[in-house]
Amino acid sequence: MYKRIVKKNDETDYIDDLLKLISLKNVPMNQVFESSESCFFIRHDVDHSLNMAIEIAQVEAEYGYTSTFFLLPPGSYNEEKNYYGWIDNGEIKHDPELIEKCKILLSHGHHLGFHSDLIASALKWRQDPKEMLQKEIDYFDRNNIRLIGTAAHGSPLARELEFNNREIFEGCIRKGREVGRIIEYNGWKVKTHSLKLEDFGFEFEAYSLPRDSRISESGGKWGGRIVGEQIDREGLFTNFKIQEFRKIISRLQPDAKVSSMQVMTHPCHWKVVEK
Ligand SMILES: [Zn+2]
């Protein structure tokens, strides 16, 4: 074990200051429903760096943890290409190294999922979300890779038009939002709740998994809810104290009445430090 994974802006050690302090059973995301004891699962939204995801995957495996990495097709950020590929005439072209890198993640005992910006992409590129998703599933199928679930990406267009990308799937309903409504953008329309998770081999949408405790570092800031207590996101960010952070995480004990917890990271907020 020669490497440490450390958060860039506050030096939190991913293993020692976070995972090791969670005294719950670590389970893969598709087994959360079956777990009879308090458990936690790890979700990585790979927005930018698949190489960093590989580093994390390796270290997790060394310590016996399992997690799921959600892959984001290109086009969600203002960049021509990402680790997944690029857009050519409205078609996704896949990075020649994508499959090889996916297989490295799988070789460490982890799972892969789809980081979905589907509603936003369909609107922007004037395409049918079902066809778009099916093409991606077929591509991974051809390469013998299974995506076990999906996790919605929070894109600017979603905020602007007040939808959440998970709403493309049947059953992914948000309070106060109409089921089967039409989202319109530049004259193109997408109907929410029009696809079925199981038609694409997905076992879950990440937001629908039970998680009565959760932590994430969206935007580089720790946030979430641990054993009924909200993390003071801004306070912890402006005045980060590692002891305070460790104390919060250490509350995750088997007797804390947590049923399941989500640890969510974005690999781009982390770096590798040689021991
Ligand atoms: Zn994302």
Side-chain angles (χ1 to χ4, degrees):
M1 295 171 194
Y2 305 107
K3 283 179 185 172
R4 291 167 60 221
I5 302 295
V6 168
K7 190 155 158 285
K8 283 179 186 170
N9 62 354
D10 61 24
E11 302 283 319
T12 306
D13 185 300
Y14 179 58
I15 299 294
D16 289 347
D17 298 325
L18 181 59
L19 297 191
K20 270 192 185 172
L21 300 183
I22 303 173
S23 303
L24 311 173
K25 185 185 170 196
N26 174 222
V27 297
M29 288 179 81
N30 60 346
Q31 286 174 28
V32 176
F33 282 114
E34 293 141 44
S35 178
S36 52
E37 55 185 299
S38 297
C39 64
F40 82 99
F41 59 91
I42 307 169
R43 160 184 169 187
H44 300 288
D45 283 5
V46 188
D47 286 321
H48 301 288
S49 178
L50 190 55
N51 290 337
M52 192 58 217
I54 290 173
E55 299 281 1
I56 291 173
Q58 222 165 24
V59 171
E60 282 176 340
E62 280 175 14
Y63 286 90
Y65 293 104
T66 182
S67 66
T68 305
F69 293 85
F70 292 87
L71 309 171
L72 181 71
S76 297
Y77 290 93
N78 287 330
E79 53 196 5
E80 263 172 46
K81 77 186 289 287
N82 72 356
Y83 63 84
Y84 189 109
W86 63 95
I87 316 280
D88 184 15
N89 255 327
E91 288 256 343
I92 294 176
K93 301 287 178 191
H94 299 94
D95 189 289
E97 290 180 9
L98 178 61
I99 293 301
E100 196 187 311
K101 289 179 179 177
C102 285
K103 294 205 165 154
I104 297 176
L105 294 172
L106 295 170
S107 75
H108 290 300
H110 303 305
H111 288 118
L112 296 172
F114 188 73
H115 195 27
S116 167
D117 196 17
L118 214 50
I119 297 181
S121 306
L123 289 171
K124 282 192 285 190
W125 306 337
R126 309 173 77 82
Q127 292 190 18
D128 173 16
K130 187 175 181 180
E131 280 173 23
M132 288 172 75
L133 181 55
Q134 193 57 55
K135 274 187 205 165
E136 296 317 296
I137 297 298
D138 291 346
Y139 164 75
F140 285 106
D141 264 356
R142 284 197 300 278
N143 289 285
N144 294 315
I145 287 173
R146 200 168 101 68
L147 305 180
I148 63 164
T150 177
H153 171 69
S155 65
L157 195 62
R159 275 187 288 276
E160 188 188 322
L161 302 178
E162 298 186 348
F163 65 83
N164 181 298
N165 275 302
R166 73 178 185 270
E167 290 182 282
I168 194 66
F169 294 108
E170 191 183 88
C172 294
I173 296 161
R174 289 159 77 209
K175 234 187 199 165
R177 306 285 165 142
E178 192 196 334
V179 175
R181 69 186 187 282
I182 305 291
I183 313 282
E184 198 172 339
Y185 178 70
N186 283 347
W188 196 255
K189 291 173 186 170
V190 168
K191 190 175 188 214
T192 61
H193 310 101
S194 54
L195 308 188
K196 285 193 171 90
L197 286 165
E198 58 268 30
D199 286 350
F200 304 92
F202 294 147
E203 295 177 44
F204 60 83
E205 199 326 306
Y207 283 94
S208 308
L209 295 180
R211 46 195 172 106
D212 48 7
S213 280
R214 56 185 182 270
I215 190 165
S216 81
E217 31 63 308
S218 297
K221 300 176 181 180
W222 290 115
R225 200 174 175 79
I226 306 288
V227 198
E229 249 176 67
Q230 203 75 22
I231 293 173
D232 175 6
R233 194 163 179 260
E234 293 302 325
L236 195 61
F237 178 68
T238 47
N239 187 18
F240 185 77
K241 293 195 183 84
I242 190 69
Q243 286 314 328
E244 200 177 303
F245 179 80
R246 290 175 58 96
K247 215 168 115 190
I248 294 170
I249 305 302
S250 301
R251 298 178 58 220
L252 291 155
Q253 299 294 325
D255 61 0
K257 294 200 175 81
V258 171
S259 70
S260 63
M261 187 215 176
Q262 172 179 271
V263 171
M264 177 190 177
T265 90
H266 305 77
C268 58
H269 294 312
W270 300 79
K271 64 182 179 185
V272 178
V273 174
E274 305 289 332
K275 264 191 180 171

